[in-house]
Amino acid sequence: MSKPGDDVDVVVVGSGGAGMVAALAAAHRGLSTVVLEKSEQYGGSTARSGGGLWLPGNEVLDRADVTDRMEDARTYLAHVAGPDSTPEKQHAFLTAASDVVAFVRAHTPLDFVWVTDYPDYYPEAPGGLPGGRSIEPLPLDTRVIGPDLATLAAPYRAAPKGMAVTQVDYRWLSLGTRHPRAILTASRLAAYGLTARIRRRHRLTMGQALAAGLRAGLRTTGVPVRLGTPMTDLLVEQGRVSGVHATHAGEPELVRARQGVLLASGGFEHNESMRRKHQDGIGTEWTAGAVGNTGDGIRAGERLGAALDLMDEAWWGPSIPLTGGPYFCLAERNQPGCLLVDATGRRFVNEAAPYVDAVHAMLRPGVRLPAWLVADQTYRDRYLFAGRAPRSPLPRRWFASGVAHRADTLDGLAARIGVPAAALASTVRRFNQFAERGQDDDFHRGDSVYDRYYGDPRHRPNPCLGAVTRPPFYAFRMVPGDLGTKGGLRTDERARVLRPDGTVVPALYAAGNVSASVMGRSYAGAGATLGPALTFGYLAALDLAASAATPTLVRED
C-alpha cells in the first residue's frame, strides 16, 4: 500500500547512469522525483563499467582540441547503427549529447577527459574519428561521496587497493613491461596507491567514479534513492502509467507518479528464460552485467502492450569463462602472438576486431564453438593476461577446470582442446607467414587504427600481428560473453515507450539497456552504451518537464 508522501511527479526505476541523470535533470526542472533501486547498492552496470561516454561534439572534446563536426558524427552513426535505429532517435541523441555533458559537469562533482587517441570502433568508416570521441570521468576523491560510498556497487574488476586506474592507464598496463610508458604507468599508480593508503585518501575511477558522482549530485539536489526497493509492476489508471508497485523490506508499496515513470532498470542478461527464448540458447553464465538485471522493466512494459526490439542482441565480447566468473577480453586479443580458432582448428575472425563483431563472428553459422585463444610463451612473457602479470604462473584452477591448457607442441595442444591437429598446425603456419610480412590476407588484422590501439607499438611490422612459435603453447577457452543485453522496449526520440503500431504508452519512458539501443546491432565506440543511456534519460526528463508545463495536452504525437 502507499504511504503518506509517496506521491511524486516522477518515479525513476533503476539507479544506473540513465536513471540518475534522468532524476537529476527532472529535479532541476522543478519536478519532485524519487529513484527506486532493486539492489541494496546503487550504480548498476554503470558502476561495473569502464565509465566511458561516447557523446559526440561535447565541450570536453572541444577543450582537448578534438575536431568533431556534427555532420561527421551524424554520417558515422547512421553508418554504424544501420536500419535497426531510426534517424529520429539518432538525431535526438546527437543533438542532446553535448548538453548532457554540460549538465552533468554543472550539477555534479564530475569532470571528464578525452580518452586520448582511443579510436571510434570503425575509424575508417565515413565520419569515423581515428582519435576517437570517447571521454571518461576524472578520478573522484571518495571524500566527495560521503555516506554514499558504502552503498556504491562494486566494479567489474577491482584494481589493487588504493590504485586509481583509468581507461588510458589500462591501455598501457596491458603491455606489461614491454613499453617504457607501461612501466612508468605501473610505477606511478603503485606510488599513488601507497600514498593513498598511508594518507587514507582514495579515488574512484571509471564507472565507479561516474556512478558515485551522479549519486552525489542527487544528494545535493535532494532526490532520494531508495535501495532495496524492487519494482513489481506498473500502475495504470485512466489509460496512463501513474505509478509503480514495489516492495521494501518485504512489504508492498505503491509510489504514485503525477507526470510519469522512467524505466532505467537494465537489461535481461541474468534472466535465464528470457535469454534462452530470445538469444538462441545463450544463458546467463557468461555475462558481466549486474546481477539484478533480470528484465523487470522490459516485462512490465511488455504487459502494457509495448513493442520490443533487438532482443537477440547484447553488448557482446569474447570472454574467458574463469572459475570466478567470466573475464571480458579487451586488449588480450589485439596483442601480437595470439590467434583465435574454433573447434575445427581454423581462424574465423580478425581477432582484434571490435568485441561485438568478434562475437557476431563466433555466432555465425558454420563456426563451431568453443573457440580458443591460442598463444605462445613469448606472448605470456610480454603482456598482461586476464589481470595476470607477464611471466607470472597462471592459476592451477584454470587448468583443472579446462578453461586453460598448455602443451610443448601444437599437436599436443590440439589433443588437449579436442581440435584436429593438422588443421591447427596449418592455421598457425599460415598465420605466422602473415605475421612475418605484417599483413593478414585472411582477416586484415591490424589494418584498422582500432586494431592497433591495444597492440604493441614496439612490435614490427604490425603492432598487433605476431607469430606463434615459442613453446610451451597455451589455449584459453573463449565464449560469447557480454556486458549486458541491448534489446528491450521500443522508444522514440523523446524516450517514450511505443506500442507495435507506433502509438505511445502514455506517461511511460525508458532509457539504458531496458530499451532497444540507438546503436542498432553495432557499437560506435567506447562508451556507446553509457553515452546514449545518459542522453535518453536526460531527454525523458525534458519531456516529463514539458508535460508538467502543459498538463492539459495528451502528449502522444
Side-chain angles (χ1 to χ4, degrees):
M1 62 177 55
S2 61
K3 297 178 180 179
D6 276 349
D7 289 7
V8 293
D9 292 322
V10 178
V11 177
V12 175
V13 181
S15 66
M20 287 197 283
V21 165
L24 193 64
H28 276 280
R29 280 155 181 79
L31 302 181
S32 60
T33 307
V34 64
V35 178
L36 306 183
E37 169 55 47
K38 177 181 184 178
S39 169
E40 296 293 344
Q41 299 174 312
Y42 69 91
S45 290
T46 298
R48 295 174 61 79
S49 74
L53 299 171
W54 195 84
L55 292 167
N58 66 72
E59 59 195 35
V60 176
L61 296 176
D62 292 342
R63 187 175 62 193
D65 293 326
V66 176
T67 301
D68 185 15
R69 300 187 309 160
M70 180 59 69
E71 178 184 349
D72 291 336
R74 185 173 292 113
T75 299
Y76 177 70
L77 181 57
H79 174 86
V80 170
D84 293 293
S85 170
T86 68
E88 292 80 10
K89 283 188 67 172
Q90 294 174 29
H91 176 75
F93 164 61
L94 293 173
T95 302
S98 60
D99 294 339
V100 171
V101 175
F103 174 78
V104 170
R105 292 183 69 217
H107 297 292
T108 76
L110 288 164
D111 201 356
F112 301 90
V113 66
W114 176 45
V115 185
T116 310
D117 293 330
Y118 198 165
D120 284 341
Y121 286 174
Y122 307 95
E124 291 79 27
L129 286 190
R133 298 174 163 98
S134 302
I135 63 174
E136 68 171 321
L138 286 170
L140 190 67
D141 193 314
T142 55
R143 292 175 299 176
V144 174
I145 314 307
D148 296 311
L149 181 62
T151 53
L152 173 63
Y156 166 55
R157 294 279 172 177
K161 188 173 179 60
M163 292 182 67
V165 180
T166 66
Q167 288 193 34
V168 173
D169 293 332
Y170 172 75
R171 175 193 183 184
W172 297 108
L173 290 175
S174 69
L175 294 175
T177 58
R178 178 69 175 161
H179 194 279
R181 188 161 176 181
I183 298 170
L184 289 172
T185 299
S187 299
R188 172 177 56 82
L189 291 174
Y192 179 83
L194 178 61
T195 302
R197 289 194 295 274
I198 292 172
R199 300 176 66 184
R200 297 184 179 180
R201 292 181 59 179
H202 301 290
R203 296 186 301 173
L204 301 170
T205 58
M206 300 197 209
Q208 281 211 305
L210 180 59
L214 292 173
R215 178 66 184 92
L218 290 178
R219 180 172 287 278
T220 300
T221 309
V223 176
V225 177
R226 299 185 57 192
L227 303 178
T229 309
M231 176 188 72
T232 57
D233 210 345
L234 295 166
L235 174 68
V236 178
E237 295 176 314
Q238 298 180 342
R240 67 186 300 276
V241 175
S242 58
V244 170
H245 292 282
T247 60
H248 183 76
E251 295 295 324
E253 294 187 2
L254 173 59
V255 186
R256 292 182 177 274
R258 287 182 287 267
Q259 298 303 323
V261 172
L262 170 73
L263 298 175
S265 51
F268 61 95
E269 56 265 27
H270 282 283
N271 186 309
E272 187 75 23
S273 63
M274 290 181 73
R275 295 207 76 155
R276 297 288 179 188
K277 175 182 178 181
H278 295 288
Q279 301 198 330
D280 198 23
I282 292 177
T284 61
E285 66 271 27
W286 298 331
T287 184
V291 174
N293 292 345
T294 55
D296 303 348
I298 297 172
R299 287 180 289 135
E302 191 177 19
R303 286 193 292 271
L304 298 187
L308 305 182
D309 286 329
L310 298 174
M311 293 294 284
D312 58 336
E313 279 291 350
W315 302 100
W316 302 112
S319 302
I320 306 172
L322 299 178
T323 52
Y327 180 86
F328 192 95
C329 283
L330 191 57
E332 289 85 356
R333 299 175 292 110
N334 297 58
Q335 292 156 345
C338 69
L339 69 155
L340 269 171
V341 300
D342 73 354
T344 70
R346 295 179 174 85
R347 290 179 75 206
F348 58 92
V349 70
N350 165 15
E351 293 85 353
Y355 32 89
V356 67
D357 290 347
V359 170
H360 281 157
M362 294 174 79
L363 299 176
R364 279 200 311 259
V367 175
R368 291 179 52 194
L369 300 180
W372 299 93
L373 184 72
V374 175
D376 69 357
Q377 189 60 45
T378 298
Y379 173 90
R380 278 292 301 122
D381 286 347
R382 287 180 173 178
Y383 309 115
L384 196 73
F385 184 82
R388 302 284 167 168
R391 301 187 180 88
S392 64
L394 299 176
R396 293 181 181 178
R397 62 182 180 276
W398 291 12
F399 296 97
S401 68
V403 168
H405 297 270
R406 179 175 50 217
D408 291 330
T409 65
L410 285 174
D411 284 356
L413 189 69
R416 289 184 181 276
I417 63 177
V419 307
L424 181 62
S426 175
T427 297
V428 172
R429 185 164 53 249
R430 181 173 175 82
F431 179 83
N432 287 347
Q433 292 171 352
F434 295 156
E436 291 296 325
R437 292 192 288 110
Q439 180 65 46
D440 176 9
D441 293 343
D442 289 344
F443 296 100
H444 307 288
R445 176 170 167 180
D447 287 3
S448 172
V449 174
Y450 173 80
D451 296 1
R452 299 192 289 272
Y453 178 77
Y454 281 118
D456 181 349
R458 299 183 65 188
H459 184 83
R460 297 289 187 273
N462 187 322
C464 64
L465 194 64
V468 177
T469 57
R470 180 184 164 206
F473 300 100
Y474 297 83
F476 303 95
R477 187 178 180 218
M478 303 290 285
V479 297
D482 63 73
L483 299 170
T485 52
K486 69 185 301 187
L489 302 172
R490 183 184 300 169
T491 56
D492 67 6
E493 67 275 10
R494 286 146 62 177
R496 300 178 302 176
V497 174
L498 302 176
R499 302 185 183 99
D501 63 2
T503 59
V504 170
V505 178
L508 183 63
Y509 298 75
N513 285 351
V514 72
S515 61
S517 173
V518 71
M519 293 292 154
R521 297 183 180 277
S522 196
Y523 211 141
T529 307
L530 281 176
L534 269 60
T535 302
F536 282 104
Y538 178 79
L539 288 171
L542 297 189
D543 202 66
L544 283 158
S547 297
T550 54
T552 59
L553 295 181
V554 179
R555 299 176 61 83
E556 294 192 20
D557 55 311

